Amino acid sequence: MVRDLPVADLVDRALAREPRAVARLISLVEDDSPRLREVARALAPHTGRARVIGLTGPPGVGKSTTTSALVSAYRAKGQRVGVLAVDPSSPFSGGALLGDRVRMGAHAADQDVFIRSMATRGHLGGLAVATPQAVRVLDAAGFDVVLIETVGVGQSEVDIVALADCAVVLLAPGAGDGVQAAKAGILEIADVFAVNKADRDGAETTARELKHAISLGRREIRGPSWRTPVVMTVAARAEGIDGLVAAIESHHEWAAARGEFAARRLARARAEVESVAVRELRARLGELRGDLLDRFAAEVRSGSLDPYRAADEVIAAVTGEGWLDHRRGY
């Protein structure tokens, strides 16, 4: 069975584009398996080719429908597409509720499309903790495009900008989304805006508000040569999807020409390293719970030790730096 295969065999099968092996590797990532380090080491030489496109926006805006339409558009270009649909966690099992995966069922029989739902498991920001490593699995498995659909939590959903090569923010008319986007700071993370459900009343108004907000926003970070486009779509009928793909492609060309594409990928790698390091430190800190941490806490409570010095002691214990122990006579 695939479940029992050694990591090297799993990776070989994933590189050979075997869906079950890809699924198993992502499961190891999600479960924070003890074999995860071996997985990461084996995948590293095969990554860095896939384009990562993030789709975010308020709940009910049509992210899943738009994602499905984009899958069809990229498949029509002959590209293999991986989808990571981040769903809310079940309050009972902790797993994903699978709503997004069900809505993309039209692609289930396509061997060149891989769709995986991932549970947030309480993580804020619209993504799951395991999403970056899952992207690496799909990248190594030869997918040309990886679409990440965020959970749809609303204004705080900005983590996608650190992971995607292009961040597409979807809005819909009739719910004050344009105003909310400007307030929430989503304006700054969008590389492309899509006003979905553009057949509804108020779509033109929403697009106009967005264009006005863009004209007032701080664009000096991206430079004068890129102005975030606003595309009108009706994803349920695949209307405007070609225009959305064209806008994404234009951003890719611009980012590659200005060096931002490489800069984003460097920032992504930096964030991954930091995330792994922080998780490792937290795990080691958890091992200190008990006598040692209680002793520091007791000294802080009594006033014989300040909390900053206590934190230094904890860091020294976690990192194995013995010089503080020596200074305090432990």
Side-chain angles (χ1 to χ4, degrees):
M1 294 178 61
V2 172
R3 175 179 293 273
D4 301 321
L5 287 175
V7 166
D9 291 341
L10 278 174
V11 171
D12 286 343
R13 293 194 180 195
L15 295 178
R17 303 183 176 185
E18 183 179 317
R20 291 182 64 190
V22 174
R24 180 57 182 155
L25 287 173
I26 293 179
S27 293
L28 292 177
V29 168
E30 286 194 288
D31 296 339
D32 197 19
S33 167
R35 298 196 285 170
L36 185 53
R37 287 178 179 269
E38 186 180 357
V39 170
R41 186 164 53 249
L43 291 176
H46 307 285
T47 58
R49 290 168 293 196
R51 291 176 54 196
V52 182
I53 301 169
L55 292 94
T56 188
V61 78
K63 291 190 295 297
S64 295
T65 306
T66 303
T67 300
S68 182
L70 284 174
V71 171
S72 297
Y74 282 111
R75 287 296 298 125
K77 293 174 175 286
Q79 297 185 313
R80 300 181 74 233
V81 184
V83 178
L84 297 174
V86 184
D87 281 310
S89 297
S90 165
F92 302 104
S93 67
L97 295 179
L98 304 182
D100 296 335
R101 189 172 179 181
V102 170
R103 287 191 287 272
M104 285 182 264
H107 304 287
D110 190 338
Q111 292 297 307
D112 288 317
V113 176
F114 183 92
I115 301 171
R116 178 67 172 248
S117 288
M118 304 183 72
T120 57
R121 300 185 182 183
H123 182 68
L124 300 178
L127 298 179
V129 172
T131 305
Q133 293 302 319
V135 169
R136 284 187 170 273
V137 173
L138 295 178
D139 186 1
F143 289 94
D144 302 298
V145 176
V146 177
L147 301 175
I148 304 175
E149 179 192 337
T150 68
V151 73
V153 298
Q155 295 183 357
S156 64
E157 194 169 326
V158 295
D159 282 2
I160 190 63
V161 72
L163 185 56
D165 298 319
C166 180
V168 179
V169 174
L170 280 76
L171 302 170
D177 289 332
V179 175
Q180 289 303 312
K183 287 182 179 178
I186 294 179
L187 185 67
E188 284 80 5
I189 75 165
D191 297 306
V192 177
F193 275 114
V195 178
N196 193 34
K197 305 181 182 181
D199 53 343
R200 294 185 177 181
D201 291 341
E204 292 291 343
T205 299
T206 300
R208 187 165 55 250
E209 289 177 354
L210 279 172
K211 291 174 182 178
H212 177 66
I214 291 168
S215 69
L216 297 176
R218 57 181 181 89
R219 309 312 306 162
E220 69 276 5
I221 292 177
R222 303 260 170 96
S225 62
W226 180 254
R227 183 64 61 99
T228 307
V230 179
V231 182
M232 308 288 282
T233 64
V234 183
R237 300 200 297 262
E239 295 177 7
I241 298 302
D242 287 344
L244 178 56
V245 171
I248 294 170
E249 296 300 315
S250 293
H251 175 264
H252 176 76
E253 293 172 4
W254 173 85
R258 293 182 61 89
E260 180 159 325
F261 186 74
R264 285 193 179 194
R265 295 206 161 188
L266 179 62
R268 183 192 311 169
R270 186 187 302 118
E272 284 186 71
V273 173
E274 182 179 349
S275 176
V276 172
V278 169
R279 289 204 305 272
E280 181 66 24
L281 288 172
R282 284 176 176 168
R284 294 186 185 183
L285 181 60
E287 295 172 1
L288 291 179
R289 293 187 183 277
D291 293 342
L292 183 61
L293 202 55
D294 286 346
R295 183 174 63 191
F296 290 147
E299 292 188 43
V300 170
R301 182 184 61 185
S302 68
S304 61
L305 187 67
D306 69 84
Y308 290 93
R309 182 64 177 177
D312 287 340
E313 300 284 3
V314 171
I315 292 171
V318 167
T319 58
E321 298 175 2
W323 65 276
L324 281 176
D325 288 350
H326 174 74
R327 288 183 64 182
R328 297 199 71 230
Y330 290 152

